[in-house]
Every structure is written in C-alpha cells, then in structure tokens.
Amino acid sequence: MILLSGSVLDCSTSLYIPVESPLISKETLSTLQKGRAIYINKCASCHTLYLPEKYSTTQWKLQTVRMAKKAKLTTQEEELIFRYLTKNGSSNPR
Ligand code: HEC
C-alpha cells in the first residue's frame, strides 16, 4: 500500500510511532515516545522533519550534536531525540 512507503507524505505522519512489544522494555518505550514528541516539537521550526531511516546511527550522532545547538536542546533532550531517531541506537548501524 502506498501509505507504507512514507516517501510522499507529510513527515510527521510517516515518523514511526513506538509501540509496546515484548522486545523492548517499558523504559525504552517511554524513552522513544518522549524522543518522538521532542523531535516533532523542537526540530520542525526551521525545516521539515527528516525521517529516522534517512541517516545511519553515526550520521544521526553528528546531526543531533550539530542541531542540538540550533534548537537549544538540553543534553537530556538531545539524548532522547537521538534514541528515537536511531531506534534506541540500534538502527542502520554503519
Ligand atoms: C534554528 C533552526 C534549526 C533548528 C531548530 C533545527 N535545524 Fe536542522 N538544520 C538547520 C539548517 C539551517 C540546516 C541546513 C544547513 C546545515 O546542514 O547546517 C539544517 C539541516 C539539518 C539536517 C540535514 C543535514 C545534512 O546535511 O544532511 C538534519 C538531519 C537536521 N537539520 C536535523 C535537525 C534536528 C534533529 C533538529 C532538532 C534537534 C534540528 N535539525 C533543528 C536549522 C535548524
């Protein structure tokens, strides 16, 4: 189905939503949910939101460090956004 491709949609609707699963702890779920909310609130004022899949974990590390300054994030907010964007540090490792 075309909606699943996520490429032509408004970014906030194609940003994955963390859901409960036996594979992740409650704590991780809460971290990812907070990260998503902060990402949407803090990162969309200057440009549209980039999809998590767009960058590798290493690239996201660099981008979040750079953009945390622009968005005036606290260290904690930066960490939560980074965890969300990289699916808790596990996605697209390279
Ligand atoms: C104050 C404005 C501003 C805010 C807030 C902001 N950005 Fe950016 N962002 C920019 C500008 C300007 C560019 C393009 C120039 C550059 O890459 O430095 C950019 C580029 C990017 C890029 C693309 C870089 C590339 O070269 O591919 C990513 C990814 C990104 N931002 C992520 C984020 C994230 C994540 C946040 C929230 C923490 C955020 N941005 C908040 C201004 C902002």
Side-chain angles (χ1 to χ4, degrees):
M1 211 243 300
I2 191 155
L3 283 179
L4 292 176
S5 80
S7 54
V8 292
L9 294 174
D10 166 62
C11 281
S12 67
T13 56
S14 43
L15 285 173
Y16 82 95
I17 298 172
V19 289
E20 211 166 337
S21 141
L23 298 176
I24 63 170
S25 67
K26 288 243 179 330
E27 202 188 342
T28 300
L29 178 64
S30 147
T31 296
L32 298 178
Q33 287 169 335
K34 283 184 213 147
R36 184 179 193 272
I38 300 169
Y39 181 51
I40 292 169
N41 282 325
K42 303 269 179 162
C43 302
S45 53
C46 302
H47 47 69
T48 54
L49 293 170
Y50 296 84
L51 290 177
E53 296 75 22
K54 186 162 195 283
Y55 297 98
S56 70
T57 299
T58 314
Q59 289 168 322
W60 271 127
K61 186 78 232 174
L62 299 173
Q63 300 299 350
T64 46
V65 168
R66 258 171 17 97
M67 292 296 146
K69 296 198 190 82
K70 289 193 194 284
K72 300 190 172 45
L73 301 183
T74 64
T75 312
Q76 204 204 0
E77 288 170 329
E78 179 186 329
E79 180 66 20
L80 289 168
I81 289 177
F82 173 71
R83 300 271 209 106
Y84 171 72
L85 290 169
T86 59
K87 306 196 169 120
N88 207 28
S90 67
S91 81
N92 317 326
R94 56 175 185 250

PDB file of all heavy atoms in Angstrom, residues 40-59:
ATOM      1  N   ILE A  40       9.433  16.230  17.227  1.00  0.00           N
ATOM      2  CA  ILE A  40       8.393  16.963  16.498  1.00  0.00           C
ATOM      3  C   ILE A  40       8.300  18.417  16.984  1.00  0.00           C
ATOM      4  O   ILE A  40       8.171  19.345  16.188  1.00  0.00           O
ATOM      5  CB  ILE A  40       7.033  16.234  16.627  1.00  0.00           C
ATOM      6  CG1 ILE A  40       7.093  14.904  15.878  1.00  0.00           C
ATOM      7  CG2 ILE A  40       5.897  17.102  16.100  1.00  0.00           C
ATOM      8  CD1 ILE A  40       5.923  13.971  16.147  1.00  0.00           C
ATOM      9  N   ASN A  41       8.431  18.606  18.284  1.00  0.00           N
ATOM     10  CA  ASN A  41       8.308  19.960  18.839  1.00  0.00           C
ATOM     11  C   ASN A  41       9.501  20.864  18.578  1.00  0.00           C
ATOM     12  O   ASN A  41       9.339  22.059  18.383  1.00  0.00           O
ATOM     13  CB  ASN A  41       8.091  19.899  20.350  1.00  0.00           C
ATOM     14  CG  ASN A  41       6.661  19.540  20.685  1.00  0.00           C
ATOM     15  OD1 ASN A  41       5.749  19.943  19.983  1.00  0.00           O
ATOM     16  ND2 ASN A  41       6.482  18.780  21.738  1.00  0.00           N
ATOM     17  N   LYS A  42      10.680  20.301  18.611  1.00  0.00           N
ATOM     18  CA  LYS A  42      11.882  21.137  18.591  1.00  0.00           C
ATOM     19  C   LYS A  42      12.597  21.202  17.257  1.00  0.00           C
ATOM     20  O   LYS A  42      13.437  22.077  17.057  1.00  0.00           O
ATOM     21  CB  LYS A  42      12.891  20.634  19.641  1.00  0.00           C
ATOM     22  CG  LYS A  42      12.362  20.572  21.041  1.00  0.00           C
ATOM     23  CD  LYS A  42      12.635  21.870  21.760  1.00  0.00           C
ATOM     24  CE  LYS A  42      12.084  21.819  23.172  1.00  0.00           C
ATOM     25  NZ  LYS A  42      12.678  22.839  24.030  1.00  0.00           N
ATOM     26  N   CYS A  43      12.325  20.275  16.379  1.00  0.00           N
ATOM     27  CA  CYS A  43      13.161  20.190  15.181  1.00  0.00           C
ATOM     28  C   CYS A  43      12.463  20.608  13.899  1.00  0.00           C
ATOM     29  O   CYS A  43      13.060  20.534  12.831  1.00  0.00           O
ATOM     30  CB  CYS A  43      13.723  18.782  15.043  1.00  0.00           C
ATOM     31  SG  CYS A  43      14.698  18.281  16.477  1.00  0.00           S
ATOM     32  N   ALA A  44      11.208  21.042  13.997  1.00  0.00           N
ATOM     33  CA  ALA A  44      10.482  21.334  12.764  1.00  0.00           C
ATOM     34  C   ALA A  44      10.328  22.825  12.490  1.00  0.00           C
ATOM     35  O   ALA A  44       9.648  23.227  11.559  1.00  0.00           O
ATOM     36  CB  ALA A  44       9.102  20.675  12.810  1.00  0.00           C
ATOM     37  N   SER A  45      10.975  23.674  13.297  1.00  0.00           N
ATOM     38  CA  SER A  45      10.760  25.103  13.116  1.00  0.00           C
ATOM     39  C   SER A  45      11.542  25.682  11.941  1.00  0.00           C
ATOM     40  O   SER A  45      11.122  26.660  11.343  1.00  0.00           O
ATOM     41  CB  SER A  45      11.078  25.860  14.405  1.00  0.00           C
ATOM     42  OG  SER A  45      12.359  25.540  14.861  1.00  0.00           O
ATOM     43  N   CYS A  46      12.671  25.099  11.608  1.00  0.00           N
ATOM     44  CA  CYS A  46      13.498  25.661  10.526  1.00  0.00           C
ATOM     45  C   CYS A  46      13.392  24.881   9.224  1.00  0.00           C
ATOM     46  O   CYS A  46      13.631  25.403   8.154  1.00  0.00           O
ATOM     47  CB  CYS A  46      14.966  25.681  10.934  1.00  0.00           C
ATOM     48  SG  CYS A  46      15.283  26.615  12.432  1.00  0.00           S
ATOM     49  N   HIS A  47      13.107  23.612   9.320  1.00  0.00           N
ATOM     50  CA  HIS A  47      12.997  22.767   8.124  1.00  0.00           C
ATOM     51  C   HIS A  47      12.027  21.644   8.425  1.00  0.00           C
ATOM     52  O   HIS A  47      11.672  21.447   9.588  1.00  0.00           O
ATOM     53  CB  HIS A  47      14.370  22.209   7.709  1.00  0.00           C
ATOM     54  CG  HIS A  47      15.170  21.616   8.849  1.00  0.00           C
ATOM     55  ND1 HIS A  47      14.818  20.463   9.501  1.00  0.00           N
ATOM     56  CD2 HIS A  47      16.296  22.060   9.459  1.00  0.00           C
ATOM     57  CE1 HIS A  47      15.705  20.206  10.450  1.00  0.00           C
ATOM     58  NE2 HIS A  47      16.615  21.168  10.465  1.00  0.00           N
ATOM     59  N   THR A  48      11.617  20.903   7.400  1.00  0.00           N
ATOM     60  CA  THR A  48      10.737  19.769   7.659  1.00  0.00           C
ATOM     61  C   THR A  48      11.529  18.674   8.364  1.00  0.00           C
ATOM     62  O   THR A  48      12.761  18.679   8.342  1.00  0.00           O
ATOM     63  CB  THR A  48      10.131  19.213   6.348  1.00  0.00           C
ATOM     64  OG1 THR A  48      11.217  18.925   5.470  1.00  0.00           O
ATOM     65  CG2 THR A  48       9.195  20.213   5.708  1.00  0.00           C
ATOM     66  N   LEU A  49      10.821  17.760   8.983  1.00  0.00           N
ATOM     67  CA  LEU A  49      11.483  16.717   9.751  1.00  0.00           C
ATOM     68  C   LEU A  49      12.080  15.653   8.832  1.00  0.00           C
ATOM     69  O   LEU A  49      11.426  15.193   7.906  1.00  0.00           O
ATOM     70  CB  LEU A  49      10.485  16.081  10.717  1.00  0.00           C
ATOM     71  CG  LEU A  49       9.990  17.007  11.838  1.00  0.00           C
ATOM     72  CD1 LEU A  49       8.839  16.368  12.590  1.00  0.00           C
ATOM     73  CD2 LEU A  49      11.129  17.378  12.788  1.00  0.00           C
ATOM     74  N   TYR A  50      13.297  15.289   9.098  1.00  0.00           N
ATOM     75  CA  TYR A  50      13.939  14.214   8.340  1.00  0.00           C
ATOM     76  C   TYR A  50      13.514  12.886   8.954  1.00  0.00           C
ATOM     77  O   TYR A  50      13.392  12.765  10.173  1.00  0.00           O
ATOM     78  CB  TYR A  50      15.458  14.343   8.413  1.00  0.00           C
ATOM     79  CG  TYR A  50      15.990  15.596   7.757  1.00  0.00           C
ATOM     80  CD1 TYR A  50      16.037  16.809   8.443  1.00  0.00           C
ATOM     81  CD2 TYR A  50      16.422  15.558   6.430  1.00  0.00           C
ATOM     82  CE1 TYR A  50      16.516  17.962   7.832  1.00  0.00           C
ATOM     83  CE2 TYR A  50      16.901  16.710   5.810  1.00  0.00           C
ATOM     84  CZ  TYR A  50      16.946  17.907   6.514  1.00  0.00           C
ATOM     85  OH  TYR A  50      17.419  19.038   5.900  1.00  0.00           O
ATOM     86  N   LEU A  51      13.291  11.898   8.106  1.00  0.00           N
ATOM     87  CA  LEU A  51      12.871  10.600   8.625  1.00  0.00           C
ATOM     88  C   LEU A  51      14.045   9.871   9.279  1.00  0.00           C
ATOM     89  O   LEU A  51      15.184   9.967   8.804  1.00  0.00           O
ATOM     90  CB  LEU A  51      12.318   9.734   7.487  1.00  0.00           C
ATOM     91  CG  LEU A  51      10.976  10.194   6.924  1.00  0.00           C
ATOM     92  CD1 LEU A  51      10.554   9.297   5.757  1.00  0.00           C
ATOM     93  CD2 LEU A  51       9.901  10.218   8.002  1.00  0.00           C
ATOM     94  N   PRO A  52      13.739   9.132  10.340  1.00  0.00           N
ATOM     95  CA  PRO A  52      14.790   8.386  11.044  1.00  0.00           C
ATOM     96  C   PRO A  52      15.606   7.483  10.103  1.00  0.00           C
ATOM     97  O   PRO A  52      16.817   7.339  10.256  1.00  0.00           O
ATOM     98  CB  PRO A  52      14.006   7.533  12.052  1.00  0.00           C
ATOM     99  CG  PRO A  52      12.755   8.307  12.309  1.00  0.00           C
ATOM    100  CD  PRO A  52      12.441   9.007  11.016  1.00  0.00           C
ATOM    101  N   GLU A  53      14.917   6.910   9.108  1.00  0.00           N
ATOM    102  CA  GLU A  53      15.571   5.975   8.181  1.00  0.00           C
ATOM    103  C   GLU A  53      16.597   6.653   7.277  1.00  0.00           C
ATOM    104  O   GLU A  53      17.401   5.990   6.632  1.00  0.00           O
ATOM    105  CB  GLU A  53      14.521   5.309   7.265  1.00  0.00           C
ATOM    106  CG  GLU A  53      13.508   4.438   7.983  1.00  0.00           C
ATOM    107  CD  GLU A  53      12.441   5.230   8.750  1.00  0.00           C
ATOM    108  OE1 GLU A  53      12.207   6.417   8.430  1.00  0.00           O
ATOM    109  OE2 GLU A  53      11.854   4.663   9.693  1.00  0.00           O
ATOM    110  N   LYS A  54      16.537   7.979   7.225  1.00  0.00           N
ATOM    111  CA  LYS A  54      17.374   8.679   6.255  1.00  0.00           C
ATOM    112  C   LYS A  54      18.874   8.608   6.579  1.00  0.00           C
ATOM    113  O   LYS A  54      19.705   8.646   5.690  1.00  0.00           O
ATOM    114  CB  LYS A  54      16.925  10.144   6.153  1.00  0.00           C
ATOM    115  CG  LYS A  54      17.629  10.911   5.063  1.00  0.00           C
ATOM    116  CD  LYS A  54      16.868  12.175   4.722  1.00  0.00           C
ATOM    117  CE  LYS A  54      17.309  12.782   3.419  1.00  0.00           C
ATOM    118  NZ  LYS A  54      18.484  13.503   3.326  1.00  0.00           N
ATOM    119  N   TYR A  55      19.197   8.524   7.851  1.00  0.00           N
ATOM    120  CA  TYR A  55      20.605   8.548   8.233  1.00  0.00           C
ATOM    121  C   TYR A  55      20.994   7.345   9.079  1.00  0.00           C
ATOM    122  O   TYR A  55      20.153   6.763   9.765  1.00  0.00           O
ATOM    123  CB  TYR A  55      20.924   9.829   9.026  1.00  0.00           C
ATOM    124  CG  TYR A  55      20.738  11.092   8.246  1.00  0.00           C
ATOM    125  CD1 TYR A  55      19.566  11.840   8.372  1.00  0.00           C
ATOM    126  CD2 TYR A  55      21.720  11.547   7.373  1.00  0.00           C
ATOM    127  CE1 TYR A  55      19.388  13.016   7.651  1.00  0.00           C
ATOM    128  CE2 TYR A  55      21.544  12.716   6.649  1.00  0.00           C
ATOM    129  CZ  TYR A  55      20.377  13.441   6.786  1.00  0.00           C
ATOM    130  OH  TYR A  55      20.198  14.592   6.067  1.00  0.00           O
ATOM    131  N   SER A  56      22.263   7.007   9.054  1.00  0.00           N
ATOM    132  CA  SER A  56      22.777   5.930   9.898  1.00  0.00           C
ATOM    133  C   SER A  56      22.932   6.446  11.323  1.00  0.00           C
ATOM    134  O   SER A  56      22.851   7.658  11.574  1.00  0.00           O
ATOM    135  CB  SER A  56      24.135   5.461   9.381  1.00  0.00           C
ATOM    136  OG  SER A  56      25.094   6.476   9.611  1.00  0.00           O
ATOM    137  N   THR A  57      23.169   5.529  12.249  1.00  0.00           N
ATOM    138  CA  THR A  57      23.377   5.908  13.643  1.00  0.00           C
ATOM    139  C   THR A  57      24.534   6.908  13.777  1.00  0.00           C
ATOM    140  O   THR A  57      24.418   7.915  14.476  1.00  0.00           O
ATOM    141  CB  THR A  57      23.677   4.638  14.482  1.00  0.00           C
ATOM    142  OG1 THR A  57      22.538   3.787  14.384  1.00  0.00           O
ATOM    143  CG2 THR A  57      23.929   4.971  15.942  1.00  0.00           C
ATOM    144  N   THR A  58      25.614   6.641  13.078  1.00  0.00           N
ATOM    145  CA  THR A  58      26.771   7.538  13.130  1.00  0.00           C
ATOM    146  C   THR A  58      26.426   8.922  12.598  1.00  0.00           C
ATOM    147  O   THR A  58      26.798   9.944  13.186  1.00  0.00           O
ATOM    148  CB  THR A  58      27.935   6.964  12.276  1.00  0.00           C
ATOM    149  OG1 THR A  58      28.080   5.592  12.589  1.00  0.00           O
ATOM    150  CG2 THR A  58      29.221   7.713  12.529  1.00  0.00           C
ATOM    151  N   GLN A  59      25.694   8.948  11.492  1.00  0.00           N
ATOM    152  CA  GLN A  59      25.308  10.239  10.924  1.00  0.00           C
ATOM    153  C   GLN A  59      24.362  10.992  11.847  1.00  0.00           C
ATOM    154  O   GLN A  59      24.490  12.198  12.020  1.00  0.00           O
ATOM    155  CB  GLN A  59      24.647  10.034   9.552  1.00  0.00           C
ATOM    156  CG  GLN A  59      25.630   9.596   8.483  1.00  0.00           C
ATOM    157  CD  GLN A  59      24.909   9.123   7.220  1.00  0.00           C
ATOM    158  OE1 GLN A  59      23.858   8.475   7.285  1.00  0.00           O
ATOM    159  NE2 GLN A  59      25.474   9.438   6.070  1.00  0.00           N
TER     160      GLN A  59
END
